[in-house]
Amino acid sequence: MVANSNTHADDRPVEIACAGVTKVFRDFWMRPRVRAVEDVDLKVHRGQIFGLLGPNGSGKSTTIKMLLGLLQPSAGRIAVLGKRPTDVETKRLIGYLPEESYLYRFLSGRETLEYYGRLFRLERRTRAERIDMLLDMVGLEVVQDRPVGEYSKGMQRRIGLAQALINDPQLLILDEPTSGMDPVGAKQIKDLIALLAQRGKTVLLCSHLLADVEDLCDRVAIMYGGKIRVEGTCSELLESEHATLVETSEMSEPVTRALRGWLDERSVQITKIERPRRRLESLFLEIVEKARSEGVQTAGARSGGRVAEFLEKPTPSGADPAMHAETAAASDAVDTDLLGSLVASPARQADDRGPGEA
């Protein structure tokens, strides 16, 4: 089921395209054991925040691993940034935060970012500048020299997000990015994700915190049993067709009674009249901000600083000219035949879905 999928045409470049993607895990004797993903069609456009939702075991993680080239699909085709997921050059343009922060526990926060910066072959000066900016952005500059193994879960998620951003990626894949974070940190991460999308970066977001998804995502897809059961914008999927919401300034009791009588005469039933409530997140953030303004101290990670300067530039960006040239070339040299067939023709021919085709 796809909710009004053709209502709004999107002419932005397609960053992720899947057609008929299926993944079957087999046992030692090559007998089908688990059909983790089945016949998934998906398109994510540049600058979108796309939410991939579903309960545990629905196929989200398997889908992400296929997008990253860590698993091969049993059938179907995938294009990521215009190329097959196994293409090595596109890895420079991807940032990934897995559900669990697999970090070297004896490295400090700064050493962790240094390690990942070296993996991307960032020039020394660029690497140092980005590490400083990222540590300040995620609020860990005070504890940057502590071993990551001593970090709380929320602090590990912060350093994990920083490593996912150190290469200034064009595509960001985030699996439970706010897991273990306090509401202040979670709000800052959500604001950052929204800003990155405004700068032209593409974000694939997986989260069990549905309020975060509703706040952030342009489109969502809900998976169950390995299949996408519904896809659309939050407005398309959540709008109630059988009720109307009218918001007014405060009404006195006589006015409320008069309104009820007027609507009763026209056979319109009032199901609820109540005062609007603020969100709990808003109240929490207000209390914390007030305590900070009064000089109350706290241990651990502090509130994050400004967004790293290199992330504020429109995509593609990068302070390192050499890396910028390489990543721009990788982005431009797309496999037009692969991408064109996936985008223009969602209906696949049987011979397009041979076993093991990526």
Side-chain angles (χ1 to χ4, degrees), residues 104 106-113 144-148 151:
Y104 294 97
F106 297 109
L107 292 182
S108 68
R110 172 169 285 277
E111 289 168 341
T112 297
L113 297 183
Q144 61 180 284
D145 295 321
R146 281 174 53 185
V148 168
Y151 283 7

Side-chain angles (χ1 to χ4, degrees), residues 166-286:
I166 196 166
N167 59 318
D168 191 14
Q170 182 177 330
L171 171 63
L172 193 58
I173 300 177
L174 304 175
D175 198 350
E176 301 291 348
T178 59
S179 174
M181 286 192 180
D182 59 74
V184 176
K187 175 66 164 56
Q188 291 168 343
I189 297 305
K190 290 191 292 183
D191 289 345
L192 172 62
I193 293 171
L195 178 64
L196 293 175
Q198 292 172 11
R199 296 293 187 270
K201 298 185 186 297
T202 306
V203 182
L204 180 65
L205 174 66
C206 291
S207 179
H208 291 302
L209 301 176
L210 302 184
D212 291 353
V213 174
E214 192 174 343
D215 287 343
L216 284 171
C217 292
D218 304 306
R219 293 185 69 82
V220 298
I222 300 177
M223 297 186 69
Y224 188 86
K227 294 184 178 182
I228 291 181
R229 303 292 170 172
V230 67
E231 180 188 347
T233 67
C234 287
S235 296
E236 292 168 350
L237 299 176
L238 301 178
E239 185 178 89
S240 176
E241 299 179 357
H242 306 293
T244 301
L245 178 65
V246 177
E247 185 171 328
T248 73
S249 57
E250 183 178 4
M251 293 193 303
S252 65
E253 186 60 31
V255 173
T256 302
R257 286 198 302 269
L259 178 60
R260 283 185 181 274
W262 187 85
L263 292 174
D264 285 342
E265 292 174 1
R266 289 156 179 78
S267 301
V268 178
Q269 180 183 6
I270 295 180
T271 57
K272 185 194 317 185
I273 294 181
E274 63 181 12
R275 292 184 180 276
R277 294 174 54 181
R278 65 189 302 185
R279 298 181 64 177
L280 184 59
E281 179 186 67
S282 172
L283 174 62
F284 183 97
L285 295 173
E286 179 183 297

Side-chain angles (χ1 to χ4, degrees), residues 117-184:
R118 286 172 177 266
L119 285 181
F120 284 106
R121 299 180 181 176
L122 293 176
E123 186 267 335
R124 180 194 297 265
R125 180 177 176 181
T126 299
R127 194 167 63 237
E129 289 175 350
R130 290 189 178 184
I131 290 172
D132 288 340
M133 287 187 281
L134 288 169
L135 286 169
D136 177 67
M137 184 184 77
V138 299
L140 294 177
E141 78 281 7
V142 175
V143 294
Q144 61 180 284
D145 295 321
R146 281 174 53 185
V148 168
E150 297 179 6
Y151 283 7
S152 67
K153 182 176 180 180
M155 293 163 68
Q156 289 187 5
R157 298 307 282 168
R158 290 173 185 244
I159 200 69
L161 180 65
Q163 68 81 22
L165 292 170
I166 196 166
N167 59 318
D168 191 14
Q170 182 177 330
L171 171 63
L172 193 58
I173 300 177
L174 304 175
D175 198 350
E176 301 291 348
T178 59
S179 174
M181 286 192 180
D182 59 74
V184 176

